[in-house]
Amino acid sequence: MPQPITSINDFVVKFANVNGSGSASANQLFAKSILRMGIPVAPRNIFPSNIQGLPTWYEVRVSEAGHIGRRGGVDLMVAMNPQTWAQDVASIDAGGYLFYDSTKPMPPSRFRDDIQVIGMPLTEICNAAYSDARQRQLFKNIIYVGALSALIDLDPAAVETLIGEQFKGKDKLIQPNIQALHMGRDYALAHLGHPVGLKLRRADAVGNRIFIEGNNAAALGAVYGGATIAAWYPITPSTGLAEAFARHCRRFRTDPATGKARYAIIQGEDELASIGIVVGAAWNGARAFTTTSGPGISLMQEFLGLAYFAEIPAVLFDVQRGGPSTGMPTRTQQADILSCAYASHGDTKHVLLLPRDPHECFEMGAQAFDLADRLQTPIFVMLDLDIGMNESLCAPLAWDDARRLDRGKVMTAEELEAGKDFGRYLDVDGDGIPYRTYPGTHPERGSFFTRGTSKDRYAKYSEDGEVYVDNMKRLLAKFDTAKKLVPAPERRDAAQPTREGVIYFGSTAAAMDEALADLEERGVHLDTLRLRAFPFADEVLRFIAGHERVFVVEQNRDAQMRALIVNEVGVDPAKLVPILHFDGTPITARFIAGEISAQVRPRNVAPLREVAR
């Protein structure tokens, strides 16, 4: 029997429930109550794509050190779903704890000898206290939160405060929930003692950080970025972004004097219609976007090609999920990299922004609209379900009120009146970006015909090969200009010189931070480069050239980011070692550290000392 795990403010609790049982609000209550104690947490909801009946999990990472990625492993499993019992018990680390409903006796064969088992007759308690079947189901969740509060020293006052906030306006529900909380707590104190070595202790480690979903932050970024038009079609996991944009617009884009909306949110009949609306609105000068996921990107390809070739600004928030086809709608992946970078047929290249957390979702959500106008092209903000649908701690969102929208090269009526030469696809300064006009700018000048076919510098239809090549080369020059405008990669060198490095991006960053600390403890030192955008800055080539080999960590099967780097940077593929995680759950620090250390260790073997003769 291994020693029971003991830890203060550093452990993982996982809840195994049935979807539709009302457990989500109770589990969130548990996580947020720990936050109220000043201890950072990182909760993740792993849920099925149906409405009710299938397994769902809610994992809470408690980390006073501030690690907000998934660690891997479980220290305390709250097993409330008989359907997943075997896998839930198997996931507990040796010396960990299993908390379960012991109303019905279970044979010893259903447990493990190397974990601590804590049974509490939850169903029996509920049946004695409540006659209504739905009440029994709902309050059982609050009762086990109460029991956990006793077992791990969760402050019940923090839970009570949150209950009051959660049911504000429904005051008659507050006291019954508090009563259920103490019913579980009192039972645990009277019958269970303190068999759990995992404890919470008040801290001051949260600081001024905020707790917000990436979808919500991105939507607010769109508002601050000047967006007034959103066209979308519901699809998990991006629907919350459109809904959050609607909430923010009601607050910030409603005329206070007249009450009229100064925005338009349109649910198209499908994703094809949605991107068409965005392109049309942007052509007219509005800042417009759509929010979607991989299947939606597949449907939008032709319009994306039109926007690229006709050079029309557009912003797309792609909240990635498991594919292909319908795939796993409620699981996370980073599997739309290539489909977005080269969206549409023919030779296209699109700008991708790669936020790591809600803070960057806000920043890049706003920046995307400046980039779209400046570059006159579609811009993709590449979230994923892990960032988009999970609340996370991040730095407070900040905005400079002196900042002004960058509309790029727009020729005015005064310039046209003065006789300034206007060619819609004419590059006048070598950056690849032409001037455009808004419809109706001048009654006689500055008009052009927008087409998806080949045209010359003055927008005149032409299928002449030289004209086509001239236009396509200019588009490449514009893409090269984008390198100087998109967020630069972040490099971090190891504590000591090393010949190996690692490249990563997006939601992988949270787990990577902890994995690097773990690797350093094992004596594995890596320089790191976090990608924040495509096209790649020259620093990416320098980083790869400066190391014997570089690991590329991503959450897809086909090493899409690695392929993009090889294709665009022109490096030896053998130097880039893929570290791939694609089962639909967020990547863990243990996975990253384990995969890398297994490959690095043989190269770090110390030479044998010469045997004395």
Side-chain angles (χ1 to χ4, degrees):
M1 184 69 177
Q3 284 291 105
I5 296 173
T6 59
S7 183
I8 297 175
N9 293 355
D10 184 13
F11 50 86
V12 175
V13 180
K14 191 169 185 178
F15 298 85
N17 300 101
V18 176
N19 202 35
S21 64
S23 59
S25 60
N27 297 341
Q28 290 171 1
L29 191 69
F30 173 82
K32 291 181 179 180
S33 297
I34 299 174
L35 269 180
R36 292 293 177 92
M37 293 179 66
I39 308 164
V41 297
R44 282 175 171 81
N45 191 13
I46 302 171
F47 57 100
S49 57
N50 76 335
I51 296 175
Q52 190 166 353
L54 287 182
T56 182
W57 293 270
Y58 190 83
E59 185 175 291
V60 181
R61 174 68 193 286
V62 180
S63 173
E64 187 173 352
H67 296 305
I68 60 172
R70 287 186 75 211
R71 185 199 68 186
V74 178
D75 299 308
L76 170 59
M77 172 63 71
V78 181
M80 294 291 120
N81 187 358
Q83 184 181 352
T84 61
W85 176 271
Q87 69 185 87
D88 294 334
V89 172
S91 68
I92 305 171
D93 284 357
Y97 304 87
L98 170 67
F99 178 88
Y100 79 106
D101 183 354
S102 61
T103 300
K104 292 184 178 180
M106 298 188 69
S109 59
R110 302 298 303 276
F111 301 105
R112 281 169 47 191
D113 294 335
D114 61 345
I115 62 174
Q116 316 297 314
V117 178
I118 306 160
M120 179 172 169
L122 294 166
T123 300
E124 180 182 316
I125 293 170
C126 289
N127 289 346
Y130 308 104
S131 58
D132 181 76
R134 184 59 176 165
Q135 281 188 328
R136 288 173 174 175
Q137 183 181 54
L138 294 176
F139 283 121
K140 181 164 74 171
N141 302 317
I142 301 298
I143 289 172
Y144 71 59
V145 171
L148 292 175
S149 75
L151 293 173
I152 65 173
D153 293 344
L154 173 63
D155 186 356
V159 187
E160 290 178 8
T161 299
L162 279 168
I163 288 174
E165 294 174 6
Q166 181 175 325
F167 293 106
K168 186 177 181 180
K170 301 178 181 178
D171 294 353
K172 65 179 183 179
L173 298 176
I174 295 176
Q175 197 54 43
N177 276 275
I178 292 177
Q179 183 179 357
L181 174 78
H182 283 279
M183 194 183 304
R185 180 177 175 83
D186 292 345
Y187 184 95
L189 290 173
H191 298 91
L192 302 181
H194 285 77
V196 177
L198 310 175
K199 298 299 178 185
L200 297 171
R201 181 173 60 197
R202 280 197 170 271
D204 188 18
V206 174
N208 68 341
R209 285 180 290 178
I210 62 173
F211 198 56
I212 187 173
E213 285 182 349
N215 280 347
N216 192 4
L220 189 58
V223 173
Y224 274 79
T228 57
I229 306 290
W232 66 295
Y233 185 78
I235 182 172
T236 301
S238 72
T239 297
L241 201 157
E243 293 172 342
F245 182 72
R247 292 195 303 272
H248 295 314
C249 282
R250 285 193 292 269
R251 180 179 179 186
F252 297 115
R253 294 234 185 282
T254 301
D255 189 305
T258 65
K260 290 184 177 180
R262 297 184 293 187
Y263 61 92
I265 300 174
I266 306 160
Q267 181 178 320
E269 60 265 34
D270 53 28
E271 289 89 349
L272 187 62
S274 299
I275 188 62
I277 293 168
V278 169
V279 171
W283 180 87
N284 274 282
R287 288 196 156 184
F289 74 92
T290 188
T291 178
T292 189
S293 192
I297 296 295
S298 297
L299 288 170
M300 296 177 184
Q301 297 289 303
E302 189 171 1
F303 263 122
L304 288 169
L306 170 64
Y308 174 80
F309 201 45
E311 299 179 65
I312 300 171
V315 172
L316 297 92
F317 292 94
D318 179 10
V319 190
Q320 300 167 87
R321 71 187 205 184
S325 188
T326 308
M328 295 189 292
T330 59
R331 297 292 190 263
T332 194
Q333 280 189 358
Q334 297 173 314
D336 297 348
I337 302 302
L338 291 176
S339 63
C340 290
Y342 300 129
S344 197
H345 55 278
D347 294 322
T348 57
K349 290 186 181 182
H350 299 290
V351 174
L352 312 182
L353 304 182
L354 308 166
R356 66 167 287 160
D357 61 10
H359 182 85
E360 286 194 347
C361 288
F362 172 77
E363 287 187 339
M364 294 182 182
Q367 184 183 17
F369 292 91
D370 278 352
L371 288 171
D373 274 350
R374 180 82 178 271
L375 295 166
Q376 300 173 29
T377 197
I379 305 292
F380 291 80
V381 185
M382 306 295 291
L383 293 77
D384 58 35
L385 184 146
D386 187 26
I387 297 177
M389 292 191 69
N390 287 312
E391 291 178 302
S392 178
L393 279 176
C394 69
L397 310 183
W399 186 259
D400 181 1
D401 288 334
R403 177 175 169 180
R404 295 294 176 262
L405 304 184
D406 183 355
R407 300 310 300 256
K409 293 181 177 179
V410 180
M411 196 166 289
T412 64
E414 291 75 19
E415 289 172 321
L416 291 168
E417 186 66 30
K420 190 171 182 177
D421 186 22
F422 174 70
R424 176 62 186 94
Y425 303 106
L426 176 65
D427 181 7
V428 298
D429 53 14
D431 65 0
I433 306 172
Y435 275 86
R436 61 176 173 144
T437 57
Y438 297 136
T441 295
H442 192 281
E444 298 175 355
R445 303 172 185 175
S447 63
F448 61 94
F449 192 90
T450 303
R451 64 178 83 240
T453 49
S454 181
K455 59 272 179 182
D456 67 12
R457 298 176 182 181
Y458 290 87
K460 182 180 178 181
Y461 175 77
S462 172
E463 292 188 10
D464 183 273
E466 290 185 4
V467 170
Y468 173 79
V469 170
D470 176 69
N471 197 37
M472 293 297 285
K473 285 185 175 180
R474 181 185 56 77
L475 289 171
L476 267 186
K478 180 169 73 170
F479 196 70
D480 193 58
T481 297
K483 289 183 182 180
K484 308 176 185 68
L485 302 178
V486 299
E490 288 185 349
R491 175 167 179 159
R492 181 172 56 184
D493 288 339
Q496 64 185 51
T498 177
R499 296 174 296 177
E500 293 170 314
V502 61
I503 290 175
Y504 60 101
F505 63 97
S507 65
T508 304
M512 176 60 73
D513 290 342
E514 184 173 3
L516 290 170
D518 185 0
L519 287 165
E520 285 186 6
E521 290 183 1
R522 305 184 194 193
V524 177
H525 299 276
L526 298 169
D527 295 331
T528 70
L529 191 72
R530 179 171 72 90
L531 302 178
R532 301 177 68 214
F534 173 71
F536 301 125
D538 295 338
E539 170 65 14
V540 176
L541 176 59
R542 289 194 294 269
F543 182 83
I544 296 171
H547 296 86
E548 287 187 7
R549 65 174 177 171
V550 175
F551 299 98
V552 183
V553 181
E554 48 188 310
Q555 299 182 72
N556 58 70
R557 184 197 68 180
D558 293 341
Q560 293 186 26
M561 183 60 77
R562 176 181 178 273
L564 192 61
I565 293 171
V566 169
N567 193 48
E568 295 292 329
V569 180
V571 298
D572 179 3
K575 293 190 71 172
L576 300 181
V577 181
I579 303 295
L580 306 176
H581 181 276
F582 53 92
D583 69 359
T585 61
I587 197 168
T588 68
R590 287 183 179 178
F591 174 84
I592 296 172
E595 290 290 306
I596 292 178
S597 63
Q599 300 192 55
V600 172
R601 189 178 298 114
R603 297 162 59 90
N604 287 350
V605 175
L608 292 173
R609 294 179 181 177
E610 185 176 355
V611 179
R613 297 183 179 178

